[in-house]
Amino acid sequence: MARVLVTGGAGFIGSNFVRYVVENTDDEVTVLDKLTYAGDPRTLGGLPENRVRLVQGDIADAGLVDGLVSGHDLVVHFAAESHNDNSLRDPSPFVRTNLVGTFELLEAVRRHEKRYHHISTDEVYGDLELDDPARFTETTPYNPSSPYSSTKAGSDLLVRAWVRSFGVQATLSNCSNNYGPYQHVEKFIPRQITNVIDGGRPKLYGAGENVRDWIHVDDHNSAVLRIIEAGRAGETYLIGADGEQNNKDVVELILELMGQSRDAYDHVTDRAGHDLRYAIDATRLRTELGWAPRFSNFRAGLADTIAWYQANESWWRPQKARTEARYAAAGQ
Ligand code: NAD
Ligand code: DAU
């Protein structure tokens, strides 16, 4: 049994990770989460109290982080400001949380000689042309576009430097776009589902040709657990499940699955600097660590996700009006 400190464990992927760990290991978990607009303690509801505890706090708080890290065997670092559109409106919390917060965690794991896993994104590699046969690999040069992705890229580089200079026992993973339960309504798929539930219309940025490489959140988390078990310290693993789809196709599928006409959506103002396409080549993870995704049918995974938002309105409703007001102010 290990004692695991999960930062950002009240957010989308982190909370699904905590559930996954409880179901698949006998580890004990402490969640460190600031409970920003994106964190919700209800997301951890129903988990056994003798195995999961929540500490509300900031990863940039050096004293708090030091005390928590010293009492755990492993740190899995999910906490971040995670939304590109927010980073275009106000980058400052992105710098503090994604860069300074990661720095404080690294200093603590260095002092206490703890194992560390760093959760990152494929956005650090920038974007690809629609017709480029290449996909991102572990050796693709970093070329981030937004304040969000540049601070994630910077946090990855801090981890690599702490590995090389101080011998910190860290692994890194860079994953593509996740979908599934408990994702905030500001994100693409939950925003469109909840718009339709509310009798509104999905909102597509620009022409909708941008491509994202979708992976179910449980597949992301099974890969993270596999990397923690078997990955080599200092190494990076890309996580993806061959799920490329353009945004227009995803919106049309949501409308179809929800019994609406496939053209019942609006084109709205495009995102500034909008990355065109992300695509992951996960060969290394599959061949070296023997990982494979379980959710290969996007249509079925999306239908389950729609059903989850229909059944859990009380979870997302408190965030919906405020989120839509922010988008409306930006013409989106
Ligand atoms: P999220 O926004 O849903 O959750 C982030 C969580 O971090 C929230 O609970 C929030 O309260 C917490 N948090 C924010 N600032 C904090 C701070 N200073 N101290 C402590 N806690 C803080 O994000 P997510 O989508 O679950 O993403 C989790 C991680 O996965 C991030 O590192 C993100 O970059 C990465 N990632 C996300 C995706 C995706 O598709 N969502 C894909 C690849 C990688
Ligand atoms: O690739 C991994 C990244 O995926 C993560 O690092 C980020 O944390 C996560 O937010 C996500 O970033 P994106 O910017 O790709 O996700 P988002 O859900 O914001 O948007 C997905 C696509 O949909 C993108 O091309 C923008 C578009 N979009 C988004 C919204 C909110 C729309 O067309 N309409 C919308 O209303």
Side-chain angles (χ1 to χ4, degrees), residues 226-260:
R226 183 76 196 126
I227 294 165
I228 290 167
E229 281 163 6
R232 281 184 288 138
E235 297 294 329
T236 294
Y237 299 86
L238 263 56
I239 305 173
D242 303 328
E244 283 188 69
Q245 301 265 355
N246 79 29
N247 294 339
K248 186 166 169 292
D249 288 346
V250 174
V251 157
E252 289 178 358
L253 183 55
I254 290 170
L255 284 162
E256 182 194 320
L257 290 169
M258 297 184 76
Q260 308 289 313

Side-chain angles (χ1 to χ4, degrees), residues 37 40 42 184-185 312-323:
Y37 79 96
D40 185 338
R42 293 179 306 151
H184 194 280
V185 289
N312 290 278
E313 183 171 341
S314 62
W315 181 83
W316 56 264
R317 175 60 66 197
Q319 296 283 344
K320 182 64 179 168
R322 194 178 340 157
T323 303

Side-chain angles (χ1 to χ4, degrees), residues 11-63:
F12 166 46
I13 306 174
S15 65
N16 279 289
F17 180 75
V18 173
R19 277 177 205 286
Y20 198 86
V21 166
V22 166
E23 282 163 17
N24 292 283
T25 75
D26 58 2
D27 295 347
E28 282 180 8
V29 177
T30 304
V31 169
L32 170 59
D33 199 296
K34 190 175 175 182
L35 302 181
T36 67
Y37 79 96
D40 185 338
R42 293 179 306 151
T43 304
L44 295 166
L47 288 167
E49 285 174 17
N50 61 342
R51 292 193 53 202
V52 180
R53 131 182 117 107
L54 171 63
V55 175
Q56 182 173 5
D58 191 335
I59 56 166
D61 177 340

Side-chain angles (χ1 to χ4, degrees), residues 10-248:
F12 166 46
I13 306 174
S15 65
N16 279 289
F17 180 75
V18 173
R19 277 177 205 286
Y20 198 86
V21 166
V22 166
E23 282 163 17
N24 292 283
T25 75
D26 58 2
D27 295 347
E28 282 180 8
V29 177
T30 304
V31 169
L32 170 59
D33 199 296
K34 190 175 175 182
L35 302 181
T36 67
Y37 79 96
D40 185 338
R42 293 179 306 151
T43 304
L44 295 166
L47 288 167
E49 285 174 17
N50 61 342
R51 292 193 53 202
V52 180
R53 131 182 117 107
L54 171 63
V55 175
Q56 182 173 5
D58 191 335
I59 56 166
D61 177 340
L64 174 68
V65 164
D66 187 79
L68 283 171
V69 168
S70 73
H72 291 80
D73 306 305
L74 160 71
V75 177
V76 188
H77 176 33
F78 289 91
E81 286 291 339
S82 70
H83 194 44
N84 277 296
D85 293 319
N86 295 345
S87 81
L88 296 165
R89 286 191 273 272
D90 178 12
S92 65
F94 290 75
V95 172
R96 181 176 160 79
T97 290
N98 300 356
L99 288 169
V100 179
T102 299
F103 163 76
E104 296 299 353
L105 285 162
L106 286 169
E107 283 293 82
V109 295
R110 171 159 84 107
R111 275 191 298 272
H112 298 290
E113 298 185 353
K114 302 294 184 179
R115 174 88 166 77
Y116 173 90
H117 182 76
H118 186 73
I119 302 292
S120 194
T121 169
D122 59 0
E123 295 194 15
V124 300
Y125 301 114
D127 60 354
L128 299 161
E129 293 299 326
L130 294 180
D131 59 357
D132 190 339
R135 298 188 291 170
F136 300 138
T137 71
E138 286 78 4
T139 57
T140 303
Y142 275 35
N143 186 28
S145 312
S146 73
Y148 162 67
S149 53
S150 63
T151 56
K152 290 298 292 186
S155 73
D156 292 10
L157 298 182
L158 290 175
V159 180
R160 291 179 181 200
W162 262 242
V163 167
R164 173 146 178 177
S165 302
F166 306 123
V168 163
Q169 295 292 295
T171 40
L172 301 92
S173 55
N174 295 73
C175 188
S176 58
N177 285 63
N178 287 217
Y179 73 97
Y182 296 109
Q183 188 168 31
H184 194 280
V185 289
E186 71 189 352
K187 302 296 198 291
F188 177 55
I189 286 177
R191 182 181 185 207
Q192 315 314 337
I193 294 171
T194 54
N195 277 1
V196 176
I197 290 173
D198 278 350
R201 289 161 68 93
K203 308 291 181 195
L204 200 52
Y205 291 176
E209 286 174 351
N210 306 66
V211 170
R212 295 295 182 263
D213 188 354
W214 293 101
I215 181 172
H216 193 278
V217 64
D218 286 346
D219 280 335
H220 182 181
N221 285 328
S222 73
V224 168
L225 216 52
R226 183 76 196 126
I227 294 165
I228 290 167
E229 281 163 6
R232 281 184 288 138
E235 297 294 329
T236 294
Y237 299 86
L238 263 56
I239 305 173
D242 303 328
E244 283 188 69
Q245 301 265 355
N246 79 29
N247 294 339
K248 186 166 169 292

